[in-house]
Amino acid sequence: MLELIFFNITNGLIVGAFYALMAIGLSLILNLSGVINFAHGGFLVIGGYLAYVLTPYIGFWGALIVSPFLTAIIGVAVEWLLIRRLYGRDPLYSLLLTFGLAFIIEDGTRQIWGANGLPVSVPPALMSALSSRFFFITGYRMFMVATVAIVVVLLFVLLRHTRVGVRIRAGTLDLETVAALGINVRALRSFNFAVGIFLAGLAGVLAGGQLGLEPTMGDGLLMPSFIAIIVGGVGSLTGTLVGGLLIGVAAGLTAVVFPSASDAVMYVIMAIVLLVRPRGLFGEEGMLT
Amino acid sequence: MSAALSAEGLHTYYGKSHILHGVSLEAGEGLVTALLGRNGAGKTTTLRSLVGLTPPRQGRVTIFGKDTTRWPAFNIAALGVGYVPEGRRIFPNLTVHENLMVPLERPGRWTPESVYRLFPRLAERKLSRGRQLSGGEQEMLSIARALLLNPKLLILDEPSQGLAPLITREVFRIVAQMRTDGISVLLVEQNVRMSLEIADQAYVLDDGHVVYSGSARELAADEARVQSLAGASAEEWTLQ
Ligand SMILES: Nc1ncnc2c1ncn2[C@@H]1O[C@H](COP(=O)(O)OP(=O)(O)O)[C@@H](O)[C@H]1O
Ligand SMILES: [Mg+2]
C-alpha cells in the first residue's frame, strides 16, 4: 500500500511538473500578450517530433537542447506572421487563430510522420530503475523532474534579475509605460513568446522520451494547464507552478482510491479554490510576488 | 532659437470622440514650456499624441528635426524623450530598484547611482515595491525612471498632482534644475503660478484648442487670466 501511494505521488509530481511547464509557458504569453494560446499543445508536439528527427544525428542530449530552441524559432515565426496582427483586439480572435493552428499542427504531424506512435530514444543510463523496491523511480523520471526544476529556476532568475525579465514583468501590468520608456515592446513580446514556446518544446522532448510520440500528445495537457493557471491565480507564475504540481499530485493520489475520478478531481480543486479565493491561490499579488 | 519639439495642427481622437482640434505648439530647445488649461481641456491627450501613445489622425509632430508623427512610442522615447505620465504609472509589482531597470539605457550622466543621489529617499526605499511608496516617492521614482533614458526633452504630466506643498516645491525645483542642465522641458500642470515662475513659454489649452501662446511672463502678469486658469484650485503656492 505504501508503495502504491508513493508510486502515485511520484507519478503525480511528474505529471504535475509537465502541467507546470506547459502552464508557465501559457501564462507568460497570456500575461504579456493577452493571448490564450490554444496551439501550445501543438508546439509540444513539434518539440517532440523534432527530437525524434534530430536524435539520430545529435543524440538525445543534443536534441534535448536543440529541439526546444528550434520550436521557439518556429513559434516566433508564427507569432510574427499571424498572432502579432491580433494583439490589442478582442481575445476571441487570437483564441480562434491558435485553435485553428492547433489543428493544423496536429494534422500536419500526422501527414508527415503518420498517426502511429514513434519513440524518442533515451540513453540507456537514464532508463534503469534506481531500486527494486521503488522500481517505478527510473532514472529518466528523476531526470525529467530535475530538468523541469532547473528550467523553472532559470526562468525565475531570468525574470527577477535580468533587464529583459524585469521588463516582461513590468509589461504584464503596463505595457504602454514600458514602451514609453523606450523599450521595443514588439521585440519584448516576441522574446517572451519564444520563452513560452521553448518550454512547450522542452515538455515535448521530455514526454516523448517517456511515453513516445503521437500527433495528439498535447491534447491531454492543455486543459489541466489552464486549470493550473486558474488555481494558482492568473498573473502569478509562482501560483501557476504550485497549481500545476498540486493538481498533478491530487490526480495521482485520487488514482489510488478512486481511479475513475482522477481527472475530475482537478475540476473539484478548481471549484474549491475559486469559491474560497476567487482570484486563485496566488492571485492579487501580481506576477512573481 | 530652435525647437526641440514642434507640433502642427494635431487632431486626435479617442475612438469617435474628437478631442484635439488643430493643436500647434513648440517646445524651445533648452527652455521650459508650460502647457496649462482646465481639467479635460486635452493636455494629457496632447502629450500622448506627442510621445506616440495616441497618435494624431491629422497633423505633424517633429522632434529634434525628425518627423515622428507615425513612429511607435518606443522609437520616440529612444530619440531621447523622457515621459513622466499622469498618475506616475509606477510598476506596482516591481521594487524601486526594478522599476529603474525598465527604461532603455541611453548613455549619459544619469545612471541608477546618480538618480539615487538626486533622490536619496529612493535609495532608502530601493527594495520597497512600487505600490508601497507614498505619492511623493512615486513621483520621484517616475521622474528618476524618465531621467535614466538621459532625455534631451523631458515631458511631465501634472507632476505635482496630489502632493503636499513641500514636496510640490521640491518637484518644481528639480524641473527647474533640468533646465539649467540643458534639458528641454514640456510641463503640464494645474499649479499655474508655480509653473509660470519656472517656465519660459506657455500655452493654454481649452476644449482641444490653443487659446494662448506666448511668453510665460506675460501670461503671469495677466492676473485675471491666471485667476480663471487656476480656478477654484486650492493648490496654489509659489516657489519663494
Ligand atoms: N481614454 C479616453 N477615452 C475617451 N475619452 C477620453 C479618454 N481620455 C480622455 N478623454 C476625454 O478627452 C478629453 C480630454 O482629456 P485629457 O486630455 O485627459 O484632459 P486634461 O489632461 O487636460 O485634463 C476629456 O473630455 C476626456 O473626457
Ligand atoms: Mg490630464
Side-chain angles (χ1 to χ4, degrees):
Chain A
M1 186 63 191
L2 187 65
E3 274 93 343
L4 189 63
I5 292 175
F6 198 56
F7 171 73
N8 282 289
I9 291 182
T10 315
N11 243 355
L13 269 178
I14 290 167
V15 173
F18 272 101
Y19 293 164
L21 203 55
M22 291 295 280
I24 287 173
L26 278 168
S27 223
L28 280 172
I29 294 167
L30 174 65
N31 291 346
L32 191 65
S33 302
V35 169
I36 298 176
N37 181 22
F38 265 94
H40 214 64
F43 287 107
L44 171 138
V45 172
I46 291 177
Y49 278 87
L50 281 174
Y52 169 80
V53 172
L54 290 171
T55 305
Y57 304 100
I58 57 178
F60 176 77
W61 298 108
L64 182 69
I65 309 274
V66 174
S67 305
F69 267 108
L70 289 180
T71 313
I73 290 171
I74 294 170
V76 168
V78 169
E79 195 242 8
W80 263 83
L81 289 173
L82 301 170
I83 298 173
R84 185 171 66 109
R85 296 166 200 280
L86 303 178
Y87 288 151
R89 301 227 195 153
D90 193 307
L92 200 59
Y93 288 98
S94 57
L95 198 143
L96 285 172
L97 172 67
T98 56
F99 204 70
L101 280 173
F103 282 114
I104 292 172
I105 294 172
E106 189 179 315
D107 282 341
T109 315
R110 199 173 285 125
Q111 278 293 317
I112 301 173
W113 289 287
N116 295 329
L118 292 173
V120 171
S121 33
V122 169
L126 285 179
M127 285 318 275
S128 52
L130 292 190
S131 81
S132 53
R133 183 159 180 227
F134 297 112
F135 63 92
F136 47 86
I137 307 183
T138 61
Y140 189 74
R141 297 179 141 214
M142 302 285 283
F143 161 76
M144 280 195 291
V145 173
T147 305
V148 173
I150 290 168
V151 166
V152 168
V153 168
L154 286 178
L155 176 69
F156 278 49
V157 169
L158 173 89
L159 289 172
R160 271 199 181 280
H161 297 292
T162 68
R163 267 178 198 278
V164 66
V166 169
R167 285 168 185 159
I168 287 173
R169 285 163 58 213
T172 292
L173 288 192
D174 189 351
L175 195 60
E176 182 180 282
T177 300
V178 174
L181 292 169
I183 304 308
N184 184 336
V185 290
R186 295 175 196 167
L188 190 71
R189 274 203 278 225
S190 293
F191 175 77
N192 178 70
F193 196 86
V195 173
I197 299 303
F198 179 94
L199 300 179
L202 180 68
V205 183
L206 292 175
Q210 173 74 14
L211 307 163
L213 300 168
E214 273 178 44
T216 53
M217 63 193 277
D219 295 357
L221 280 172
L222 202 59
M223 203 36 89
S225 302
F226 284 130
I227 295 175
I229 294 173
I230 294 168
V231 167
V234 175
S236 164
L237 283 194
T238 314
T240 300
L241 176 65
V242 172
L245 294 176
L246 182 74
I247 61 172
V249 172
L253 279 178
T254 312
V256 182
V257 286
F258 193 11
S260 57
S262 68
D263 270 347
V265 73
M266 297 188 297
Y267 295 91
V268 174
I269 290 179
M270 178 167 77
I272 293 173
V273 167
L274 289 182
L275 282 175
V276 181
R277 282 185 66 98
R279 294 198 185 178
L281 296 175
F282 289 70
E284 282 165 300
E285 303 260 321
M287 192 164 171
L288 272 177
T289 58
Chain B
M1 183 195 69
S2 63
L5 171 151
S6 79
E8 291 156 56
L10 302 186
H11 287 262
T12 303
Y13 296 70
Y14 289 116
K16 282 192 181 139
S17 23
H18 192 168
I19 308 293
L20 299 188
H21 303 266
V23 169
S24 300
L25 57 82
E26 281 197 354
E29 187 118 30
L31 303 180
V32 174
T33 305
L35 178 58
L36 308 170
R38 287 174 299 157
N39 247 334
K43 303 181 296 297
T44 297
T45 307
T46 303
L47 297 190
R48 291 178 59 88
S49 303
L50 300 176
V51 300
L53 292 175
T54 309
R57 250 183 237 178
Q58 249 185 72
R60 183 143 86 144
V61 180
T62 311
I63 301 178
F64 308 132
K66 297 196 167 65
D67 182 346
T68 59
T69 317
R70 297 277 163 261
W71 287 23
F74 61 84
N75 280 342
I76 295 177
L79 266 184
V81 179
Y83 179 50
V84 180
E86 186 172 32
R88 329 192 207 289
R89 302 282 284 263
I90 293 307
F91 303 111
N93 54 336
L94 305 189
T95 63
V96 167
H97 180 69
E98 288 172 332
N99 264 279
L100 296 178
M101 286 169 79
V102 175
L104 177 74
E105 298 169 279
R106 269 170 45 94
R109 62 172 286 208
W110 294 110
T111 60
E113 292 71 43
S114 62
V115 297
Y116 281 137
R117 270 199 299 281
L118 180 66
F119 300 111
R121 185 73 195 135
L122 291 183
E124 289 167 28
R125 307 225 53 186
K126 224 172 180 167
L127 298 179
S128 306
R129 295 201 182 274
R131 71 166 82 85
Q132 299 167 320
L133 303 180
S134 70
E137 289 164 346
Q138 289 192 351
E139 188 56 49
M140 288 168 191
L141 182 54
S142 193
I143 294 174
R145 212 170 51 175
L147 287 180
L148 285 177
L149 266 163
N150 282 293
K152 293 183 282 179
L153 168 65
L154 187 61
I155 297 180
L156 304 102
D157 196 345
E158 300 205 26
S160 78
Q161 192 179 44
L163 300 186
L166 213 65
I167 301 167
T168 298
R169 235 163 273 165
E170 180 65 26
V171 166
F172 272 87
R173 238 176 238 122
I174 282 161
V175 173
Q177 191 199 318
M178 292 305 130
R179 182 188 190 280
T180 40
D181 290 350
I183 298 178
S184 316
V185 176
L186 177 56
L187 173 68
V188 161
E189 257 301 331
Q190 289 287 334
N191 207 319
V192 178
R193 282 173 228 275
M194 233 194 251
S195 306
L196 291 177
E197 265 180 66
I198 62 167
D200 303 282
Q201 300 163 310
Y203 291 85
V204 176
L205 214 55
D206 191 27
D207 204 10
H209 301 269
V210 174
V211 294
Y212 175 89
S213 71
S215 92
R217 186 177 303 221
E218 255 168 57
L219 182 58
D222 188 344
E223 191 54 42
R225 196 149 199 171
V226 171
Q227 280 283 352
S228 82
L229 268 176
S233 164
E235 284 187 283
E236 279 300 315
W237 315 85
T238 54
L239 265 179
Q240 270 76 42

